[in-house]
Amino acid sequence: MAAVDPHSFTDSTHPLTTHISLSLYFDFPSSTILASTLISLPTTHSGPFTLDTRSLSITSVLDPTTLTPLPFTLTPPIPHPVFGQSLIITLSNHSQVIIISKTSASSSALQWLSPPQTFNQAFPFVYTQCQSIHARSIFPCQDTPAARIRYDAKLNIPRQLFAVMSARHVDRRAPVVGSGEARGACDDSLWCGDDRVVDDFLMEQPIPPYLFAFAVGELGFRDVGPRSRVYSEAAPAVLDAAAREFAGTEDMIRVGEKLFGPYDWERFDLLVLPPSFPYGGMENPRMVFLTPTVIKGDATGAQVVAHELAHSWTGNLITNKTNEHFWLNEGFTTYAERRIVEAVQGEDRAALNIGIGWKGLVDAVERFKDNMEFTKLKTNQEGVDPDEIYSEIPYEKGFQFLWRIERQIGRPAFDEFIKKYIATFKFQSIDTDTFLNFLKANVPGIENQIDLKLWTEGIGIPPDAMEPVSSIYTKIVSLANEFKLGRMPREDEVADWHGQEWELYLENLPKYVEASQALALDARYRLSESKDYEVKVAFLQLAIASKCRDYFGEVEKTLKEVGRMKYLRPLYTALVQGAGKDEEKIFAKRVFSEARDCYHPIAQGVVETILRKYV
């Protein structure tokens, strides 16, 4: 077997899937999905054909023409449990195959929420998070970004619920008796129940499997532009706040088109998920998923939207071939996001964004000081769970690399280069060497001006990386340095600060301060009560490091009300990392045991890894 991807069982000698047709029956009482997956290949194939699965029950594999069973085996879950099991099907001159399967209640891609866990507490809710390698826990597939697929899907759900997908919504209708549309997922009597409805979806552009996404629940929406709606559970307060926060979406799309070329996905809709969503946003094409923590009331949450929008060009149109080249997705997108923010919100706001990112990069390098492999842009991830090494490195070091190229050749030339890059590789999955060869071919001599190998294969932060140059950035960092000398910022100095300014300030304070200093800072500015979680969590990290137990109640509340890993990872780590923290470790274990069921499975795994390492 010749591997295509260190995180996939896909064999390079096998044809890559071109289309998948799904029939999915949602069984909320058991938190499972009954699935029929019709896989289409570009050519006929004979012999073994390997797919990725994880925590799936495979009922049967069928020839779609005759519906006769085909031989298959499931291998043991090796080499790492998160990779799951390979499904090996024996084909004989087949270009299509049907797999009948059932998800488990512990599917790593799915979070099933009971009514009490939702905004309205009236209906259940389920949503996906397939990045990086979790699509295989919903349906068998070649779960690698090297395989780009088109798909159609029939979602059979309870009549009182609604579905959205990273695809065009075609129809909402009653199930058709005797049509065979369930395609073996379940009996017709179940599929065609009186209380069921089918939502049909179609994705006509080839996407990597990690961008497969859906959500099902009691959904409402508000229009925020000619090609954008914001969806959430049908809670008017959430919808109205989201509509205000993201009112500038169309302006950002137009800026993106001006910078990077046409928007190729028709719609750019947004779904605000329940607080358990483990990321800030997920760039699913046509339907971006967002955490409610980005609704801040001052439009700064739109920067997350700018990032996910930027993925429409870098990440979704051009995709890293494997997770070892993740910077091609996130470094480019972070650069593109900041160009959009600069155009829409101004240079100072973009500089603050860069400044926060710079501190995040420094901290991420420190996190991996015992395994510097993961401070490279081009990494070796053989046998490694990509969720466990997720960090700011591909985002911020990737951004710094592209920013360095821009400074070398000038912004106008770099803008033309990016447009040509996107036009050349759209709807393709590429690796770092492909990018570097394209760079050298289109910017002659760049390898003599910038050490490209050091940037992509070297560890740590290259010497020609750069902090932002901005008066507001310099002022905030200077005030943070003065805190070390015992001076707190005056109220007039922070009168016009929003969340980002406070976040940058707190991130640049010493890691350890006296408990009395933390208490005094909070007494004046009420940072522990901030509605902006970036500010609140940055302050709570400071309080934990300062052994200021006055805030443990707020720490517990925060860990129980949100599931975003950007907050869980640093708070749990701050509680348990280091010597002499027996009380904090007991506290962290108790809070996690009580909050665990409210976290998405991916977040559960990340916290469990932290506790295993330090407790």
Side-chain angles (χ1 to χ4, degrees):
M1 172 180 170
V4 167
D5 183 330
H7 300 124
S8 173
F9 296 107
T10 301
D11 191 318
S12 64
T13 64
H14 297 173
L16 293 178
T17 304
T18 55
H19 189 276
I20 290 179
S21 184
L22 293 161
S23 295
L24 305 178
Y25 180 93
F26 289 71
D27 185 18
F28 278 87
S30 66
S31 298
T32 59
I33 297 172
L34 306 177
S36 171
T37 305
L38 172 63
I39 289 179
S40 297
L41 306 176
T43 59
T44 57
H45 181 70
S46 294
F49 178 66
T50 306
L51 298 171
D52 296 299
T53 77
R54 185 183 183 199
S55 302
L56 291 180
S57 298
I58 307 298
T59 305
S60 60
V61 178
L62 305 173
D63 180 315
T65 303
T66 64
L67 298 184
T68 55
L70 296 175
F72 71 92
T73 57
L74 272 174
T75 63
I78 55 173
H80 191 294
V82 76
F83 298 167
Q85 300 171 270
S86 63
L87 171 63
I88 303 173
I89 304 168
T90 301
L91 300 181
S92 179
N93 205 35
H94 288 90
S95 61
Q96 290 188 314
V97 63
I98 294 175
I99 304 108
I100 308 301
S101 62
K102 180 181 179 180
T103 64
S104 79
S106 60
S107 167
S108 60
L110 299 169
Q111 184 168 27
W112 299 83
L113 301 174
S114 63
Q117 294 175 296
T118 64
F119 287 125
N120 285 342
Q121 301 189 351
F123 294 98
F125 195 95
V126 63
Y127 69 90
T128 58
Q129 175 56 39
C130 290
Q131 196 179 44
S132 298
I133 54 171
H134 299 281
R136 66 189 69 181
S137 70
I138 304 174
F139 56 92
C141 60
Q142 293 168 313
D143 197 6
T144 167
R148 302 183 72 98
I149 56 169
R150 295 174 173 85
Y151 73 85
D152 63 79
K154 297 175 177 62
L155 275 57
N156 186 303
I157 61 176
R159 184 174 296 278
Q160 68 270 33
L161 303 182
F162 294 87
V164 293
M165 286 198 81
S166 57
R168 177 165 60 86
H169 187 243
V170 177
D171 195 12
R172 179 177 173 87
R173 57 179 176 78
V176 180
V177 178
S179 66
E181 65 185 16
R183 207 183 290 114
C186 62
D187 293 337
D188 250 20
S189 59
L190 200 59
W191 183 269
C192 297
D194 291 339
D195 62 340
R196 309 295 293 190
V197 69
V198 174
D199 277 311
D200 291 317
F201 294 91
L202 180 64
M203 170 47 73
E204 297 170 293
Q205 294 133 313
I207 63 169
Y210 72 81
L211 291 177
F212 176 84
F214 61 71
V216 179
E218 185 195 24
L219 297 174
F221 66 85
R222 298 282 187 274
D223 287 313
V224 293
R227 45 188 161 174
S228 300
R229 283 178 173 174
V230 58
Y231 292 80
S232 80
E233 290 181 72
V238 176
L239 283 167
D240 292 342
R244 288 191 296 270
E245 190 81 17
F246 309 133
T249 298
E250 180 62 23
D251 290 340
M252 290 194 294
I253 297 173
R254 289 173 180 167
V255 168
E257 289 182 313
K258 183 178 179 181
L259 289 170
F260 311 120
Y263 181 79
D264 282 328
W265 305 95
E266 187 183 5
R267 299 283 305 175
F268 183 74
D269 293 327
L270 313 165
L271 172 64
V272 178
L273 286 163
S276 58
F277 184 56
Y279 293 99
M282 182 62 210
E283 63 270 19
N284 308 309
R286 300 180 65 101
M287 182 62 70
V288 164
F289 285 8
L290 297 169
T291 168
T293 62
V294 301
I295 303 174
K296 302 180 181 183
D298 61 3
T300 58
Q303 291 192 21
V304 174
V305 175
H307 183 90
E308 307 312 330
L309 169 65
H311 268 302
S312 301
W313 291 274
T314 54
N316 296 4
L317 272 187
I318 305 176
T319 308
N320 49 233
K321 184 173 272 188
T322 75
N323 212 66
E324 294 182 316
H325 308 276
F326 191 45
W327 81 272
L328 287 171
N329 278 22
E330 297 300 349
F332 262 98
T333 297
T334 301
Y335 175 86
E337 165 205 344
R338 287 169 180 160
R339 291 293 304 277
I340 294 171
V341 168
E342 179 183 308
V344 176
Q345 297 184 350
E347 291 184 4
D348 280 347
R349 190 58 54 188
L352 288 176
N353 192 313
I354 296 170
I356 292 168
W358 175 264
K359 186 61 170 60
L361 175 59
V362 171
D363 289 348
V365 170
E366 172 66 18
R367 172 187 160 195
F368 290 113
K369 63 184 178 183
D370 296 327
N371 194 342
M372 294 294 281
E373 173 68 25
F374 302 124
T375 68
K376 299 177 181 178
L377 290 183
K378 182 181 176 182
T379 56
N380 178 358
Q381 296 185 20
E382 191 72 40
V384 176
D385 179 354
D387 290 334
E388 291 185 5
I389 60 167
Y390 178 87
S391 78
E392 293 295 301
I393 300 287
Y395 294 75
E396 298 300 340
K397 187 174 179 179
F399 162 79
Q400 285 283 340
F401 180 33
L402 298 173
W403 197 27
R404 174 68 184 87
I405 298 170
E406 181 204 281
R407 293 198 302 275
Q408 183 66 44
I409 68 175
R411 176 168 285 188
F414 193 57
D415 284 352
E416 290 305 309
F417 169 79
I418 286 184
K419 284 182 179 177
K420 186 175 181 180
Y421 166 71
I422 292 170
T424 300
F425 295 108
K426 64 191 299 185
F427 296 114
Q428 296 181 48
S429 298
I430 68 170
D431 58 17
T432 300
D433 288 344
T434 300
F435 167 75
L436 292 178
N437 290 335
F438 183 79
L439 174 67
K440 288 183 284 189
N442 286 274
V443 186
I446 190 68
E447 68 271 27
N448 301 319
Q449 300 163 325
I450 299 174
D451 191 334
L452 304 180
K453 186 170 184 178
L454 176 68
W455 269 101
T456 55
E457 299 181 38
I459 62 174
I461 303 174
D464 48 347
M466 194 175 86
E467 289 185 71
V469 177
S470 157
S471 58
I472 184 65
Y473 174 79
T474 303
K475 173 188 173 184
I476 293 171
V477 173
S478 176
L479 286 172
N481 289 333
E482 289 180 9
F483 188 86
K484 301 171 187 176
L485 306 175
R487 187 175 97 77
M488 201 181 306
R490 300 188 310 270
E491 292 188 13
D492 64 294
E493 292 176 306
V494 302
D496 58 350
W497 282 15
H498 297 290
Q500 274 195 310
E501 286 87 347
W502 277 113
E503 182 186 357
L504 182 63
Y505 176 78
L506 290 166
E507 293 285 357
N508 280 277
L509 292 180
K511 287 188 179 296
Y512 307 101
V513 302
E514 296 295 328
S516 59
Q517 290 179 291
L519 285 164
L521 183 63
D522 192 46
R524 179 175 294 184
Y525 294 115
R526 318 306 297 178
L527 301 175
S528 67
E529 301 171 13
S530 175
K531 301 300 182 186
D532 186 327
Y533 279 92
E534 313 289 336
V535 176
K536 174 185 277 192
V537 170
F539 177 79
L540 292 178
Q541 285 178 256
L542 184 71
I544 293 168
S546 305
K547 296 187 177 298
C548 193
R549 290 186 170 83
D550 301 60
Y551 295 102
F552 274 31
E554 195 61 46
V555 171
E556 179 171 352
K557 178 185 174 186
T558 301
L559 290 172
K560 288 182 173 179
E561 68 187 7
V562 296
R564 186 177 177 185
M565 292 190 295
K566 184 176 183 180
Y567 310 142
L568 302 185
R569 183 182 279 113
L571 288 178
Y572 277 110
T573 301
L575 286 168
V576 301
Q577 187 178 33
K581 288 192 169 184
D582 292 344
E583 184 179 336
E584 288 91 335
K585 290 176 181 179
I586 293 170
F587 171 77
K589 287 176 68 177
R590 177 184 64 79
V591 171
F592 179 59
S593 69
E594 295 171 4
R596 184 184 187 281
D597 288 347
C598 293
Y599 296 160
H600 188 281
I602 295 173
Q604 291 174 2
V606 166
V607 177
E608 286 165 352
T609 298
I610 293 169
L611 296 182
R612 278 198 306 270
K613 183 175 181 180
Y614 295 111
V615 178

